[in-house]
Amino acid sequence: MKWTTKITKVEPNHLVTRGYRQEDLIGNIPFPHVIYLLLKGGLPSKEHGRMMDAILTACIDHGVTPPSSIASRTVASGGVPLPTAVAAGILSIGDAHGGAIEKGAKFLQDGITCMNKEGKTAEEMAKILVKESKEKHKRILGFGHRVHTSDPRTKRLFSLANELNIAGDHIALSKAMERELEKSAGRKLPINVDGAIAAIISDMGFDWRLGKAFFLLGRVAGLTAHVYEEQTREKPMRKMFTVECEYDGPEERDIP
Amino acid sequence: MKWTTKITKVEPNHLVTRGYRQEDLIGNIPFPHVIYLLLKGGLPSKEHGRMMDAILTACIDHGVTPPSSIASRTVASGGVPLPTAVAAGILSIGDAHGGAIEKGAKFLQDGITCMNKEGKTAEEMAKILVKESKEKHKRILGFGHRVHTSDPRTKRLFSLANELNIAGDHIALSKAMERELEKSAGRKLPINVDGAIAAIISDMGFDWRLGKAFFLLGRVAGLTAHVYEEQTREKPMRKMFTVECEYDGPEERDIP
Amino acid sequence: MKWTTKITKVEPNHLVTRGYRQEDLIGNIPFPHVIYLLLKGGLPSKEHGRMMDAILTACIDHGVTPPSSIASRTVASGGVPLPTAVAAGILSIGDAHGGAIEKGAKFLQDGITCMNKEGKTAEEMAKILVKESKEKHKRILGFGHRVHTSDPRTKRLFSLANELNIAGDHIALSKAMERELEKSAGRKLPINVDGAIAAIISDMGFDWRLGKAFFLLGRVAGLTAHVYEEQTREKPMRKMFTVECEYDGPEERDIP
Amino acid sequence: MKWTTKITKVEPNHLVTRGYRQEDLIGNIPFPHVIYLLLKGGLPSKEHGRMMDAILTACIDHGVTPPSSIASRTVASGGVPLPTAVAAGILSIGDAHGGAIEKGAKFLQDGITCMNKEGKTAEEMAKILVKESKEKHKRILGFGHRVHTSDPRTKRLFSLANELNIAGDHIALSKAMERELEKSAGRKLPINVDGAIAAIISDMGFDWRLGKAFFLLGRVAGLTAHVYEEQTREKPMRKMFTVECEYDGPEERDIP
């Protein structure tokens, strides 16, 4: 019985992560580059490192209303340790919350594979994919947002990707999809921040299976701030919500 | 390196829990008695078994407003598997939510030890404890409730404990505390359901360290129902709360 | 903004779950019947109630080696509250651990729908399904076990289902599958405990989406016992495993 | 019913965190500085920012054997989404795993308050504290390590703290404690990495209640890498450990 790992070698007074001594990484390699190293196995180029840093910051927080913030603050309110409450927020990161990065990246990566095999342009591919999704009534993830019509994070991320020469096929396909969706729906359905990250990490060569990881690694910072704010500013078990409840179950009755 | 456990022996085609073959337990010993067996090491008397069953039912659910229900439903709303969402609710069971059973049981068990050592009556002991808590500004847990002034679950549990001849020193001390608190505060501060369970499990000989376990083992049933209702009746990422937000952090400013 | 729920109505001094006053349920209706009520909306027949009880006991514990026990005990070892550690174990209940109940129940329920539509016998249907799964290289879940060749829990559950007149189409299809798989594979691949529960809850009319819930609601009792044993019998951060580690990542190197 | 927060203001197309527009932070302010902003309310000086970055990297990973890695990988092995498995590891961050940062920081911060009030030197204060802990049989946290006698991370962090002019009273007290403990115990009991971080964040002016947050925010990167490695390199429900089990519960017996 043996555990094989490519992540860290631990010996007395000696810690080596992905080949690098931890004391060399500490304070010399920026933390977001170290995260890149952990996820990808090698240190990033200067450009990839800066993009990684930007993506993490783009995920930090969206106020008190997303499921993750509510879950973290609610659990904190039960009177538990900080990590327990932060973890509760992370549990809510799922197909419907942060999940569009994973699904969007898979969609784009499959799209590009197909596009290259069939020698199509991004525009042609986008047309095919939008048509297909319409016929199969499948929602394409990464477009539209419940709050923002022109998300400042998306613009900033795409402009950085251009500036850093990271923008490639996946971003191109993503933008072609946006145009095609507008034509098909008759209204703008802009790439959202999840969709932007999906396209950028795909152009950076990341496996779509890591999609939720980027969101998680940025959002955990905001969740920690929320839990700390809850624990230091509010009373335990405070009344958090005005929820008007309606019970529509069976009428009151006697047990048989 | 060896793991020693008193819980279950597993061999091919042979599972023995606390000495009993699982196939003998299944369908012959009621599940709440099996829980008692798991926590205490032996099967309960008929009376203890029935009390255990009643305690678990007394903890099943308190509607959609406690932290555990909100956490479970919110996390479910992120689009995750049922067990992930149920676990999120369990995480909120802490010192402020369900925690009065543990703290209340410790308080009563320490009180009885002291009472027996010093040869005092429950009334005398209660007087001392209420006085002490006043002087040290320590809240005594298990009395008063944010919603109920006369909790039907409490009444039912105490009446069962009497009927089943389980009521002993800890319940007596608990009731003496209630009378003493009323005198001291000038208003009724009734034993709540957590306090009732704390007293009853203490009279049943349970370790106070298991206090949160009783709440958890009953409540997990309600949380499962909430997650299932959320997953089958509501849309993912639904707007759950009308939360009027006020941002009172620093004014908007430019980065340096 | 309103929350609508069919589970529990909460008013001051008045708690009504699925129509029944909680004080009437407590100590009068067995806890496993109350779980049934929570999941299904109505109280079970005597037979369904007893079957429910048996299923929960069949899931209580499988010793220290399954992912859920290891996760719960490991997390407990970090020095956290009991519910945090129990929840960690529940998180591991997934497609590969307890998940065969959900997938198996869906498989059988789809199979029966198809069988009834096409007027086939269980034997004919089983033949079609095994052939299909072979052609599509899809594993059929609920058959075979990593430890048990003749699981005593399975036998007991099926014999109870017969005794209680619960066994119907889904169990029949499940047994036909077992025979067909043996013919097709040339060796016995017996229905495992997950598969048995999948068939039985399907014959009881439960939605397959609740598959993992049955496992969870039984196993949480065992996990609580494991966490309590860890917290009272072992030291925090104890060395739990002899894990021989092999680091096969990049050779030690200098940072650029 | 209103939620008041100092963290993030969310308006359509406008996200302001601690006063700064998110699009200004993204790609301009390093992510570790943004974490500092989230936890402390303002951006760090260049020196504090670099120290923050170094602390996070110092916490990233300690191989496959700590409770958090085992919990994350074990839960992943149950076949669940990546965030669920990462969260399980975070749950294990408790008083015994990463907890010495919180307790150590509280100890040092209380020590400095007392030292300043009584006008003592670090050496005098250390002598008093070690004597006290001996008399009360209280373990002082943050000294000694189960694997490392001279932890390379500790050395690196302290040398950076010096270089960046962050080292102040708390580090001085911590080092005086180390000398005093050696005298008192007759053997070296060096400050460990948790103890070093406790001292440094105290000199940076952080509340000890955030102690576990630093560990969590660094370790979540390593846990994500572990879960990804488990999900892409190993089979679900793989046999992870050679655990020799010994059942020492009651002898096998019949149910009554």
Side-chain angles (χ1 to χ4, degrees), chain A residues 108-125:
Chain A
L108 293 171
Q109 291 176 20
D110 288 351
I112 291 301
T113 304
C114 177
M115 188 176 124
N116 290 338
K117 205 162 54 185
E118 303 187 8
K120 299 234 182 309
T121 65
E123 275 67 31
E124 292 164 343
M125 198 65 221

Side-chain angles (χ1 to χ4, degrees), chain A residues 64-72 88-89 92 97 146, chain B residues 74-75 77-78 237-238:
Chain A
V64 294
T65 61
S68 48
S69 315
I70 295 174
S72 272
S92 75
H97 181 31
R146 64 196 168 96
Chain B
T74 307
V75 167
S77 158
M237 282 290 275
R238 68 172 168 119

Side-chain angles (χ1 to χ4, degrees), chain B residues 181-236:
Chain B
L181 282 168
E182 187 175 357
K183 267 194 253 171
S184 151
R187 61 185 180 88
K188 243 187 141 24
L189 204 66
I191 304 174
N192 59 33
V193 66
D194 288 352
I197 295 172
I200 295 168
I201 62 167
S202 296
D203 275 341
M204 290 168 82
F206 277 104
D207 183 354
W208 59 268
R209 285 166 196 83
L210 278 169
K212 290 189 183 104
F214 293 88
F215 184 75
L216 186 165
L217 289 163
R219 188 54 55 99
V220 70
L223 294 174
T224 303
H226 278 293
V227 170
Y228 182 62
E229 191 176 65
E230 182 71 29
Q231 291 182 328
T232 52
R233 196 174 178 177
E234 307 286 351
K235 281 195 222 154

Side-chain angles (χ1 to χ4, degrees), chain D residues 164-242:
Chain D
L164 298 168
N165 266 316
I166 283 169
D169 280 356
H170 299 87
I171 292 180
L173 177 57
S174 177
K175 295 206 165 171
M177 293 286 304
E178 185 182 45
R179 287 189 296 271
E180 197 56 36
L181 282 168
E182 187 175 356
K183 266 194 254 169
S184 151
R187 62 186 178 87
K188 243 186 142 25
L189 205 64
I191 303 174
N192 58 33
V193 67
D194 288 353
I197 295 172
I200 295 169
I201 62 166
S202 296
D203 274 341
M204 291 168 80
F206 277 104
D207 183 354
W208 60 267
R209 285 166 196 82
L210 277 168
K212 288 187 184 107
F214 293 87
F215 184 74
L216 186 165
L217 288 164
R219 189 53 58 97
V220 70
L223 294 174
T224 304
H226 279 294
V227 170
Y228 182 62
E229 191 177 66
E230 182 71 29
Q231 291 182 328
T232 53
R233 196 175 178 177
E234 307 286 351
K235 280 194 222 155
M237 281 290 276
R238 69 172 167 118
K239 204 165 179 306
M240 287 184 146
F241 307 105
T242 324

Side-chain angles (χ1 to χ4, degrees), chain C residues 72-98:
Chain C
S72 271
R73 294 190 77 127
T74 307
V75 167
S77 158
V80 302
L82 181 140
T84 298
V86 171
I90 290 174
L91 292 180
S92 75
I93 299 175
D95 286 347
H97 181 31

Side-chain angles (χ1 to χ4, degrees), chain A residues 223-240:
Chain A
L223 294 174
T224 303
H226 279 293
V227 170
Y228 182 62
E229 191 176 66
E230 183 71 30
Q231 290 182 328
T232 52
R233 196 174 178 177
E234 307 286 350
K235 281 193 222 156
M237 281 291 275
R238 67 171 168 120
K239 204 163 178 305
M240 288 184 145

